Every structure is written in C-alpha cells, then in structure tokens.
Amino acid sequence: MSRLDSFIRRLQAQRACLDHAAGLIAGLDGIVLELGLGNGRTYDHLRSLFPSREIYVCERQVAAHPACVPPPGRLILGDMRETLPAARSRLAGRVALAHLDAGSGDDEANRNLAAALTPLILPLLCEGAVLVSDPAIASADLDPLPLPDGVRPGRYHLYRRLSPIRS
Amino acid sequence: MSRLDSFIRRLQAQRACLDHAAGLIAGLDGIVLELGLGNGRTYDHLRSLFPSREIYVCERQVAAHPACVPPPGRLILGDMRETLPAARSRLAGRVALAHLDAGSGDDEANRNLAAALTPLILPLLCEGAVLVSDPAIASADLDPLPLPDGVRPGRYHLYRRLSPIRS
C-alpha cells in the first residue's frame, strides 16, 4: 500500500469516526473541542456535523485556509500543554466531543503527545463524552468504543469518558 | 460537502486517474515525471505503480517525508518555469507519463501555473504520452481523455499528447 493509499484510508477513518461520534453524542448537551486545527479541513467537517454546537479549537499557530479559521472567541492559541490547563475554569465538564489529531507524521511523537494531553483533556469532558483520536490512548478513565463499519482496528480510535472521573 | 469530504474525493480522483493512466501507458516506453513533490505521497504511489520506470521529480524545495524523497539524480530542484526548459535536452520526448499537481489551495493560481508550464511540458512528452493534471489544461496539442469510473468530470484531468506535436 502506498502512502497515498494509506493517507486516504486514514482520512476516511477519521471522517467515519467523527460521523459515528456525532450520533453517539446526539442526546448529550455540550460543546465540541478540536485539538489541533491544521489546515482546517476537519474543523470544517465538524462545523457541518454540529451546526448548533459551539466548537472550540486549540492550535499552536494558525495556518489554516482563511475560510476554516474559527472566530477569535473560540480559538485557544498556544501550546496545548499550557492552554488546556488555562482553559479548565472555562471548559471543565462542558465538552461532549473532543477530537485529537496531532497531525505530525511521527507516530511515536503523536502517542507521546496524546499521553501528555490526556490528563489535561479528561477534566474538560462531560459525563458520557466521546473522545475521537488518531493516536491510541491508554487511560483508566476512558472506555474504548467499537469503531464504525469499514474502519480497521488501530487506524483511528474512539473512547467514552467513564463516570465518575478519577482525575 | 465539507472540505474534508472534498479533499478525500480529490485524493481518490487523483489515485484513480494515476492508476488508470498506468494502464494507458502500459505498452509505451518512457519515464515518469512528477511535477511537484509536496509531501511525497503521490511520488510514493507512482513508485508502486511503476517499479521499473525511472521517475523524475520537479520541486522547488524538498519538504517531503524522508522515505519519499527521490534519489539526487532524479530530483530537478528549482522553479519549474526555469528547470523544465533546462531539462529539455535531457528529457525531450522521453516522458510517457507526467503528473501535475501544483498543490496550492488556490484554483486560479493552479490554472495559471498549469498554463505557464504546459508549453514547457509538451516537448518532454513522447508520442502517445499521458498527462494527468489537477488543474484543467487547454492546449491544441493535448486531447482530453475519458476519466475512470467514479471520477466526476472536472475533479481531475487526463490528456493524451497528440502527434505530431506542434510546439
């Protein structure tokens, strides 16, 4: 399989997981948190899935297509290891869906970042919230969920926040 | 349709057109020319399609994954408006398949670049060569070819070099 094949499958898996997660949180109040804006394509997809929810976006430095940049009040600029703790008073327990795609091509770096961010993300999630993630996450507070049809195990990841949260 | 949907369709169309073009040139001797390396995913796909052909790659500045960088002798570094005329003595009439994906998100800029590059690409193509292009190209020396199944007209483009070439 070429890297083009693999990239297409990853994007299809990402989209399938987000579409599936939208159904999972349909009955749950709460905001959406996009961890990493990148080029803004996934943010645009989240906007189309959740026209009525507030969508907050964390990003170190905006480099997205101008049509895919969130309004200033919804943009959390800086290193997520610093901005997520700072946003805790504002967002704690309010997030119904979080999506983590660190976006680097380095799998090990992505897993390490996910491990560092998980304890910072958990307190923001409401009860029953869903976390969609490119890297796998190991946490006693997260329950792995079945993937939608067509997504090979390990290609993308879905978790449900367990309740009560222990962190 | 979100930008994520649209991006996935564009990549699927690109892959379908390259796979189809591989069949079209199966009986034709000649090298492959990738106009724009980008992250190297498409180059990697071309390598998998054409293990026995020389693949030359034009790129202004290499920013691809290290595993997707062509060997130095096959890399034509610099602005294609300057490097293609310079490569003419070496590549004239030798290219069986060229692929043009300028890769910027700006459709008008992509079409303008394609128009500027077309007269520089044409002399490199052998008789019957196929040009696969993201932007549409209008040239009396190129015959538009039918797209493979599943690719919407206008999403990607296939051309056959007419013979005799007039430029």
Side-chain angles (χ1 to χ4, degrees):
Chain A
M1 188 187 302
S2 73
R3 281 172 187 266
L4 180 61
D5 293 322
S6 168
F7 186 55
I8 291 172
R9 290 203 190 183
R10 198 184 82 82
L11 292 174
Q12 289 173 319
Q14 180 188 80
R15 179 175 59 180
C17 286
L18 292 172
D19 293 355
H20 183 62
L24 293 174
I25 65 157
L28 197 65
D29 276 342
I31 64 176
V32 172
L33 181 63
E34 167 75 327
L35 299 148
L37 177 62
N39 49 49
R41 286 187 203 106
T42 310
Y43 169 65
D44 190 53
H45 196 71
L46 290 171
R47 281 196 299 204
S48 76
L49 284 177
F50 305 107
S52 307
R53 295 188 195 252
E54 292 179 16
I55 305 175
Y56 284 77
V57 179
C58 296
E59 176 60 73
R60 189 188 296 265
Q61 193 170 6
V62 171
H65 189 284
C68 298
V69 176
R74 304 274 165 80
L75 193 54
I76 301 172
L77 271 177
D79 187 318
M80 288 188 274
R81 284 164 286 210
E82 296 165 10
T83 58
L84 287 176
R88 190 162 171 174
S89 61
R90 190 162 42 132
L91 301 183
R94 292 185 55 207
V95 174
L97 174 73
H99 172 235
L100 173 61
D101 176 12
S104 112
D106 180 339
D107 287 347
E108 191 184 344
N110 288 346
R111 278 194 303 271
N112 289 342
L113 180 64
L117 294 181
T118 301
L120 310 178
I121 296 168
L122 281 169
L124 311 184
L125 302 178
C126 67
E127 217 179 298
V130 171
L131 173 59
V132 182
S133 177
D134 180 328
I137 295 174
S139 164
D141 293 309
L142 293 170
D143 193 22
L145 292 172
L147 296 169
D149 285 349
V151 178
R152 186 177 60 76
R155 196 175 284 285
Y156 229 80
H157 303 87
L158 278 171
Y159 303 95
R160 174 91 69 176
R161 204 212 84 170
L162 290 174
S163 178
I165 199 160
R166 308 182 310 177
S167 49
Chain B
M1 188 188 303
S2 74
R3 280 173 188 266
L4 180 61
D5 293 322
S6 168
F7 185 55
I8 290 172
R9 290 203 188 183
R10 197 183 82 81
L11 292 174
Q12 288 173 320
Q14 180 189 79
R15 179 176 58 181
C17 286
L18 291 172
D19 292 357
H20 183 62
L24 294 175
I25 66 157
L28 196 65
D29 275 342
I31 63 176
V32 173
L33 180 63
E34 167 76 325
L35 300 148
L37 176 62
N39 49 49
R41 285 187 204 107
T42 310
Y43 169 66
D44 191 53
H45 196 72
L46 290 171
R47 280 196 300 203
S48 76
L49 284 177
F50 304 108
S52 307
R53 293 186 196 253
E54 292 178 17
I55 306 176
Y56 284 77
V57 179
C58 295
E59 177 60 74
R60 189 187 295 265
Q61 194 171 4
V62 171
H65 190 283
C68 299
V69 176
R74 302 276 165 80
L75 192 54
I76 301 172
L77 271 178
D79 187 318
M80 288 188 274
R81 283 164 287 211
E82 296 165 9
T83 58
L84 287 176
R88 190 161 170 173
S89 61
R90 191 163 41 132
L91 302 183
R94 292 185 55 208
V95 174
L97 174 73
H99 172 235
L100 173 61
D101 177 11
S104 111
D106 180 338
D107 287 347
E108 191 183 344
N110 288 347
R111 278 195 303 272
N112 290 342
L113 181 63
L117 294 181
T118 300
L120 310 178
I121 297 168
L122 281 170
L124 310 184
L125 302 179
C126 67
E127 217 179 298
V130 171
L131 173 60
V132 182
S133 177
D134 180 327
I137 295 173
S139 164
D141 294 309
L142 292 171
D143 193 22
L145 293 172
L147 297 169
D149 285 349
V151 178
R152 187 177 60 75
R155 196 176 283 283
Y156 229 79
H157 303 88
L158 278 171
Y159 304 95
R160 173 91 72 177
R161 204 213 83 171
L162 289 174
S163 176
I165 200 160
R166 307 182 312 176
S167 49

